């Protein structure tokens, strides 16, 4: 690596279980254009809350992060709160869900769906 090049870390990570679930959902929908949109909104018991949605359309200012055939989409406002996070998928007694493991969160709620920075 020359002095002019810099290592840029992946802004978000995707667990194997999340990647496999995204691939399964894309296969179920038979739509390879689907991407998992991860976003942050105001609200929740800790100030902000995470949201997930499947999207075909991508805005010009969205960030796309590719993990093979699983692609995450993040809008610019949410991006700043999610940098360094890992998107995971878990199944348990409480059901199945995508979950964000966010090292930037100073406080999280018990269910893990909301946070504060």
């Amino acid at each position: 690596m020359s002095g002019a090049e810099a290592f840029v870390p992946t802004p978000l990570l995707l667990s194997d279980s999340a990647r496999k679930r995204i691939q399964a959902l894309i296969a179920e929908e038979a739509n390879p254009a689907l991407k998992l949109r991860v976003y942050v909104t105001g609200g929740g018991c800790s100030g902000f809350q995470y949201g997930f949605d499947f999207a075909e359309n991508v805005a010009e200012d969205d960030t796309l992060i590719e993990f093979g055939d699983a692609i995450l989409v993040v809008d610019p406002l949410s991006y700043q709160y999610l940098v360094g996070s890992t998107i995971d998928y878990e199944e348990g007694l409480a059901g199945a869900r995508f979950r964000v493991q966010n090292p930037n969160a100073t406080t999280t709620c018990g269910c893990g769906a909301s946070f504060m920075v």
Side-chain angles (χ1 to χ4, degrees):
M1 178 168 20
S2 72
E5 296 172 344
F7 174 74
V8 178
T10 302
L12 287 170
L13 300 174
L14 189 67
S15 73
D16 285 342
S17 61
R19 184 180 48 77
K20 289 175 185 171
R21 184 62 183 150
I22 293 168
Q23 290 169 336
L25 291 168
I26 289 170
E28 284 176 23
E29 293 295 320
N31 185 351
L34 288 178
K35 298 158 189 61
L36 182 66
R37 180 175 291 282
V38 184
Y39 58 92
V40 172
T41 59
C45 48
S46 294
F48 295 101
Q49 61 187 4
Y50 302 111
F52 301 94
D53 192 11
F54 273 97
E56 279 186 88
N57 301 323
V58 176
E60 187 175 305
D61 59 351
D62 282 340
T63 298
L64 295 175
I65 306 163
E66 296 185 36
F67 299 91
D69 53 357
I71 300 173
L72 298 179
V73 180
V74 184
D75 65 84
L77 181 62
S78 299
Y79 184 91
Q80 63 186 327
Y81 295 110
L82 293 168
V83 169
S85 296
T86 299
I87 309 303
D88 194 15
Y89 180 77
E90 60 185 26
E91 294 181 15
L93 294 175
R97 64 184 176 152
F98 287 100
R99 183 179 173 110
V100 177
Q101 298 168 354
N102 189 341
N104 305 309
T106 57
T107 305
T108 60
C109 68
C111 67
S114 68
F115 69 102
M116 184 184 308
V117 289

